[in-house]
Structure formats: structure tokens, C-alpha cells
């Protein structure tokens, strides 16, 4: 586990193939996602002594290992049942909704609901500083679009929603792959997803998964999705 500075007061916590984020505001700090390793809170408290708020972009297991280390978890209501099932924790869930503001001066985030990867996936949009923290929905890695809670049609809806603000973004910070994602990735994922939805692109069997999961790839975007002729 390693903390890296991205910009002033904004850090990533690198855990190999996944990362969390830390925003150190003037009077409080925001921790985004809980990774796969125990000890996130201890690591963060070596970086800052300010009161901590803990938020999940979604409830996949590789984002939730640290949930039991925080008394409260900010999460979209559509993720709560799944989170309670996957992670047995006494932490209290606090609902965040589309349009909510999270102020950690000098950062001011707006919650954007982007279902598809999971039903309650959210992104955090910093309008003034022109960046988005996107969870797993827009990254430099292959997006998982198979299994419980995944919905390609909803994902495409959410990507089109993000495309409407792409000209207001200089960079996206994703949870997998290299941290800086170009806003153009949104359009690339839309084009790829539409091809998959229409059955116009050939996938390659993904050896890492048992069953009929394939990787569908364009030049710069990729998703894992069930084989089209096996649905």
C-alpha cells in the first residue's frame, strides 16, 4: 500500500491492481473506496490527523476491504443491500444521492449517479477543477460487465450522461490501470458498448474467467461481457 500525490491535497492509495483516493481538506478529509487490503485507515491517519469521511463509489469486493475500519460509510442506497451481504460490518450506512455536494475545501464534489457497472455506482465531479473520480466505470483497464448487478444498457446510459459533461473535464481519475484517464475514453467506451450491444464485434475468450466470458476491445477501450452466442 503506497500513497502517491496526484495534485494538491489529492492523493491515490495504490494497492497493486486497485486504488483508493484521499482528499485532505482544510478541516476534514475524504477517503474514497476501501481497496483489497486491511489497514487503509491506519495508512491514511499517518498522512492526516483530520476527521475522516469514508465513501464508496460502489460495493464490489475489491473496493470494500476497509469498510469495517470506519464507523460510517457513505454509499448510494442501491448498493447497500449488496454491501451488507458481501461485507459483514457494524458500520452505519449513510445514503448519498445524485446531485449531493461533498465539500472538502479546496475541493467541492458533486455526486453523479452512473449505474451499469453496479446499480448504485457513483462518480465525484469537481466542476471548478475540471476532473472526475470515476470508480470502475471509466478507467484504463477492462471494465467488468458480467455477473451480478451488471447492466450494459444502463452502463451506456450512464456513459452518455458523462459524455454530456466531458468537455468540462481535463482528466478522469480511475480505480484501475494508470490513474489518469483521458475524457475521450467516455466516447470510446460508448462506441464499444454499442457494438457489443448490437453484436457487431467479435470478442476473445478471457482465460482468467471460467465460463463464457469474453473480452471485447477497441483500440483504447475494453469490456468483459458474456459471449454473444451464449446468452
Amino acid at each position: 500500500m503506497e500513497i502517491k500525490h496526484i495534485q494538491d491535497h489529492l492523493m491515490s492509495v495504490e494497492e497493486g491492481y486497485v486504488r483508493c483516493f484521499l482528499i485532505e481538506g482544510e478541516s476534514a478529509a475524504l477517503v474514497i473506496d476501501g481497496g483489497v487490503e486491511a489497514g487503509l485507515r491506519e495508512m491514511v491517519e499517518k498522512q492526516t490527523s483530520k476527521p475522516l469521511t469514508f465513501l464508496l463509489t460502489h460495493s464490489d469486493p475489491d473496493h470494500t476491504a476497509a469498510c469495517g475500519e470506519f464507523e460510517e460509510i457513505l454509499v448510494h442506497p442501491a448498493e447497500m443491500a449488496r454491501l451488507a451481504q458481501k461485507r459483514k460490518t457494524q458500520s452505519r450506512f449513510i445514503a448519498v444521492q445524485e446531485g449531493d455536494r461533498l465539500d472538502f475545501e479546496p475541493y467541492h464534489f458533486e455526486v453523479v449517479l452512473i449505474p451499469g457497472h453496479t446499480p448504485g455506482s457513483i462518480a465525484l465531479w469537481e466542476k471548478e477543477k475540471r476532473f472526475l473520480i470515476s470508480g470502475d466505470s471509466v478507467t484504463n483497464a477492462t471494465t467488468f460487465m458480467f455477473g451480478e448487478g451488471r447492466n450494459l444498457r444502463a452502463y451506456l446510459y450512464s456513459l452518455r450522461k458523462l459524455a454530456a459533461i466531458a468537455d468540462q473535464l481535463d482528466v478522469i481519475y480511475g480505480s484501475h490501470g494508470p490513474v489518469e484517464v483521458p475524457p475521450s475514453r467516455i466516447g470510446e467506451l460508448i462506441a464499444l458498448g454499442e457494438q457489443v450491444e448490437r453484436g457487431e464485434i467479435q470478442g476473445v475468450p478471457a482465460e482468467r474467467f471460467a465460463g463464457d466470458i469474453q473480452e471485447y476491445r477497441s483500440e483504447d477501450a475494453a469490456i468483459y461481457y458474456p459471449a454473444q452466442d451464449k446468452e
Side-chain angles (χ1 to χ4, degrees):
M1 198 180 297
E2 178 185 8
I3 290 183
K4 293 185 177 182
H5 287 260
I6 300 173
Q7 53 178 276
D8 290 344
H9 311 286
L10 172 59
M11 290 147 273
S12 66
V13 184
E14 302 291 331
E15 297 188 13
Y17 70 91
V18 69
R19 68 178 53 85
C20 315
F21 293 92
L22 169 64
I23 289 89
E24 187 177 23
E26 291 182 356
S27 58
L30 175 64
V31 179
I32 302 172
D33 287 333
V36 290
E37 298 181 30
L40 175 63
R41 181 163 190 157
E42 181 181 0
M43 169 71 81
V44 166
E45 287 179 338
K46 291 178 181 177
Q47 182 69 38
T48 180
S49 60
K50 293 169 182 173
L52 300 177
T53 296
F54 179 61
L55 174 142
L56 294 180
T57 60
H58 63 294
S59 62
D60 277 354
D62 59 337
H63 292 254
T64 59
C67 284
E69 300 172 14
F70 297 88
E71 293 77 25
E72 296 181 342
I73 301 171
L74 276 62
V75 62
H76 191 272
E79 299 292 292
M80 289 182 180
R82 184 169 182 251
L83 178 60
Q85 180 183 28
K86 299 287 185 182
R87 291 285 180 189
K88 304 303 180 184
T89 175
Q90 299 302 310
S91 304
R92 187 162 66 100
F93 296 166
I94 307 295
V96 289
Q97 303 276 9
E98 168 89 4
D100 285 355
R101 275 180 62 93
L102 301 173
D103 294 319
F104 292 83
E105 185 69 36
Y107 292 99
H108 306 279
F109 295 101
E110 179 180 327
V111 175
V112 183
L113 178 61
I114 48 170
H117 177 65
T118 66
S121 285
I122 60 171
L124 297 183
W125 180 20
E126 221 300 351
K127 292 183 182 180
E128 182 178 341
K129 293 182 170 51
R130 295 179 58 86
F131 72 83
L132 187 81
I133 295 176
S134 60
D136 281 5
S137 295
V138 183
T139 75
N140 282 311
T142 305
T143 304
F144 282 46
M145 287 305 302
F146 68 91
E148 178 190 1
R150 317 295 191 202
N151 186 303
L152 182 59
R153 182 169 294 180
Y155 182 56
L156 285 168
Y157 168 86
S158 296
L159 290 172
R160 294 180 189 117
K161 183 178 179 179
L162 293 180
I165 64 168
D167 63 350
Q168 300 178 60
L169 300 173
D170 293 329
V171 66
I172 297 169
Y173 296 123
S175 293
H176 299 279
V179 64
E180 293 191 2
V181 184
S184 59
R185 183 60 40 77
I186 298 168
E188 293 160 358
L189 283 164
I190 291 171
L192 175 62
E194 288 176 345
Q195 286 183 298
V196 172
E197 187 178 46
R198 294 192 297 261
E200 295 175 353
I201 187 170
Q202 180 67 42
V204 176
E207 294 181 2
R208 63 180 291 189
F209 303 113
D212 297 319
I213 304 305
Q214 295 196 341
E215 184 177 40
Y216 296 86
R217 177 173 290 277
S218 62
E219 184 175 351
D220 294 300
I223 64 174
Y224 290 122
Y225 192 71
Q228 297 286 49
D229 58 348
K230 299 291 185 180
E231 291 185 295

